[in-house]
Amino acid sequence: MLHSDKIETKGQKVGMNMTEKSVIFFDIDGTLLNHDKQLPLSTREAIFKLKELGHIVAIATGRAPFMYEDLREELGINTYVSYNGQYVVLNGEVLHTNPLNIPSLEKLTEVALSNNYPVVFMDHEDMKANVPEHDFISESIASLKIEHFPSHDPNYYKGRELYQTLFFCPEGEEKPYEQEFKDFDFVRWHPLSVDILPKGGSKAKGIEKIVEKLRIPAERQFAFGDGLNDLEMLSSVQNSVAMGNAEDTVKAVAKYVTKSVEEDGILNGLQMVGLLEP
């Protein structure tokens, strides 16, 4: 379906010349992968068809690169925005990084630990927890259904660039930290966990680095997403598509709304915008 107040006046789907190269950015969780963290067959086939037509397929996710290496290999994707824009790779080469402020992070970690709230430090290769074990970490990470689980290294933040930190606390408990630590943005992704990111970083900023390098015009840029961390991306990319399973606030900023991930939403959305034939 389409947003009636935004595009129904056009009367039809976008008319695209499918021989022109476009770049399409896909979120992972709730967009490429369903709620069981499985890749629907229709999505897989649609991705390969896009590539066959000469389009550039990219990923834009809050995940770390090591959390979706298998998915990139399965789909043959080597251009991606990780950590909500803090680690950007184009054609297998690092294009842009935006690390966290370490002194501020060190102070936040001390305050969090005094309240029995753990953190997990993350760079492009691994993630390490500042405590040996904690129920909040176990429950949150388990929901991602990934093989990686953070081992214990409270000093992992020293001498390296970190692009994201996971802060584990119940909903609402992050508010005092948001007030005190202005270097960071706090984005909740689980009832017990919040992403800590450099202030002002977003998928949109990471995408901007890629499209500048590729020199693909705005009308040939597409993005699919479903989560709150997709708001900036769907607001800034000209041809934005919200999944049917997205929250209403996410649908409100997108140009199009497709079906849910469980109902072949990617295939439907690509047909809707004219990148694939029905």
Side-chain angles (χ1 to χ4, degrees):
M1 65 178 175
L2 310 182
H3 277 311
S4 59
D5 59 331
K6 293 184 178 180
I7 59 173
E8 205 169 60
T9 54
K10 296 182 180 179
Q12 57 184 9
K13 68 184 179 184
V14 178
M16 293 282 178
N17 180 351
M18 287 187 289
T19 62
E20 294 183 274
K21 180 184 292 186
S22 294
V23 60
I24 308 99
F25 295 89
F26 294 97
D27 170 53
I28 294 180
D29 300 287
T31 302
L32 286 178
L33 301 185
N34 62 24
H35 299 294
D36 293 322
K37 307 303 179 185
Q38 300 296 313
L39 181 71
L41 179 59
S42 65
T43 297
R44 187 180 189 278
E45 292 176 345
I47 296 300
F48 280 102
K49 184 62 178 177
L50 286 174
K51 295 172 65 178
E52 183 183 315
L53 292 169
H55 300 307
I56 299 168
V57 178
I59 286 174
T61 180
R63 289 192 184 205
F66 57 83
M67 287 183 173
Y68 61 102
E69 189 173 358
D70 289 349
L71 181 64
R72 296 200 310 272
E73 289 180 359
E74 179 180 355
L75 297 176
I77 294 175
N78 58 7
T79 294
Y80 49 94
V81 174
S82 290
Y83 287 130
N84 290 314
Q86 316 322 308
Y87 191 84
V88 180
V89 171
L90 174 62
N91 296 324
E93 299 293 331
V94 177
L95 177 65
H96 170 74
T97 61
N98 184 31
L100 292 162
N101 181 299
I102 295 299
S104 293
L105 179 63
E106 188 172 20
K107 184 179 178 183
L108 182 149
T109 300
E110 291 173 358
V111 176
L113 202 55
S114 71
N115 292 314
N116 194 30
Y117 293 150
V119 301
V120 167
F121 306 115
M122 308 178 78
D123 64 3
H124 62 293
E125 294 179 323
D126 208 348
M127 57 180 173
K128 301 288 184 178
N130 70 331
V131 296
E133 57 183 24
H134 197 286
D135 289 344
F136 287 3
I137 297 177
S138 300
E139 185 174 337
S140 302
I141 300 298
S143 72
L144 294 173
K145 298 183 180 179
I146 57 175
E147 294 182 1
H148 299 272
F149 191 84
S151 55
H152 179 220
D153 185 353
N155 297 314
Y156 195 68
Y157 67 90
K158 295 181 178 180
R160 70 181 73 241
E161 289 190 340
L162 300 179
Y163 306 107
Q164 181 171 287
T165 290
L166 302 181
F167 173 39
F168 297 86
C169 67
E171 291 187 73
E173 292 296 307
E174 71 275 17
K175 298 303 181 184
Y177 296 84
E178 291 178 354
Q179 294 299 316
E180 182 174 354
F181 297 98
K182 300 296 186 181
D183 291 337
F184 304 136
D185 283 333
F186 295 75
V187 181
R188 183 163 290 278
W189 64 274
H190 185 276
L192 295 174
S193 187
V194 175
D195 291 337
I196 296 177
L197 299 163
K199 190 72 174 181
S202 69
K203 291 183 183 182
K205 296 282 182 64
I207 287 172
E208 189 176 290
K209 300 294 182 182
I210 290 175
V211 296
E212 282 178 358
K213 193 76 171 179
L214 291 175
R215 297 184 179 180
I216 292 181
E219 62 269 20
R220 307 296 308 174
Q221 299 170 23
F222 298 78
F224 287 70
D226 74 301
L228 295 178
N229 64 341
D230 295 318
L231 285 171
E232 292 90 348
M233 174 177 77
L234 297 179
S235 299
S236 63
V237 175
Q238 183 165 314
N239 300 295
S240 58
V241 185
M243 303 300 290
N245 46 278
E247 296 185 27
D248 289 342
T249 51
V250 178
K251 293 177 181 177
V253 303
K255 188 174 181 180
Y256 307 92
V257 177
T258 184
K259 296 179 180 179
S260 76
V261 63
E262 309 283 356
E263 300 175 299
D264 301 327
I266 293 297
L267 175 60
N268 178 266
L270 292 168
Q271 292 173 340
M272 178 186 300
V273 300
L275 284 171
L276 294 181
E277 292 285 0

